[in-house]
Amino acid sequence: MDFIIAFEKDGVTHIVLIEAKGVTSWGNKQMNSKVSRLKLIFEDNHCHNVKPHLVFLSPSKPQKLEMQTWSAWMKKDGSDNDFKFIPLSLPCGLMFVTRHKEPDSNGKEITKWTTKARRYVCKNS
């Protein structure tokens, strides 16, 4: 999870699990693995008075996630084919850090770090 919020209300501990993506997308293989781990954590009767909530955060809502193995608490209002989603606005000019190899003054190859522009559609608001 990228962000976790926990709070207590009326004797129940709520845990909000936020999975975020900026410029990459979710895949079913990754989500099925995550779902399996979340079930082990929250559904084996070790979490009394705990209510988990799963939320997705990204610029656009994921469209092709297969949710057949997801538990009801992972879905929006127990729906069979929807989940909680919050849209994320990305700033224009977003950069990322990457490494590359280049020779030093003695000709030995060394690793250097640099920033590069992200390739994505920038939506100015």
Side-chain angles (χ1 to χ4, degrees):
M1 292 295 123
D2 296 296
F3 192 58
I4 300 173
I5 301 168
F7 62 94
E8 188 175 337
K9 181 179 179 189
D10 299 328
V12 176
T13 300
H14 294 264
I15 300 178
V16 182
L17 306 162
I18 301 175
E19 181 68 15
K21 298 282 187 192
V23 294
T24 58
S25 60
W26 285 281
N28 284 305
K29 183 177 178 181
Q30 174 197 18
M31 284 311 303
N32 287 337
S33 175
K34 197 169 294 267
V35 162
S36 294
R37 291 191 311 272
L38 290 172
K39 285 180 176 182
L40 287 173
I41 294 168
F42 292 107
E43 296 177 17
D44 64 359
N45 297 320
H46 289 93
C47 296
H48 301 289
N49 294 325
V50 173
K51 183 173 183 181
H53 307 270
L54 180 61
V55 180
F56 290 84
L57 177 72
S58 66
S60 59
K61 188 173 182 178
Q63 298 297 314
K64 298 179 181 178
L65 291 179
E66 297 168 358
M67 303 172 58
Q68 296 90 341
T69 62
W70 295 21
S71 298
W73 68 265
M74 299 174 184
K75 301 174 184 179
K76 184 177 182 179
D77 302 322
S79 166
D80 283 335
N81 59 0
D82 202 5
F83 46 86
K84 297 172 188 103
F85 172 75
I86 299 172
L88 172 67
S89 296
L90 292 178
C92 293
L94 192 62
M95 306 288 281
F96 72 101
V97 176
T98 186
R99 63 181 172 194
H100 65 278
K101 304 257 183 197
E102 66 179 54
D104 66 8
S105 59
N106 297 322
K108 182 181 176 186
E109 194 172 77
I110 59 172
T111 299
K112 293 226 172 176
W113 296 90
T114 188
T115 57
K116 289 188 175 182
R118 285 270 183 201
R119 294 177 195 226
Y120 66 99
V121 177
C122 178
K123 299 176 184 174
N124 288 324
S125 349

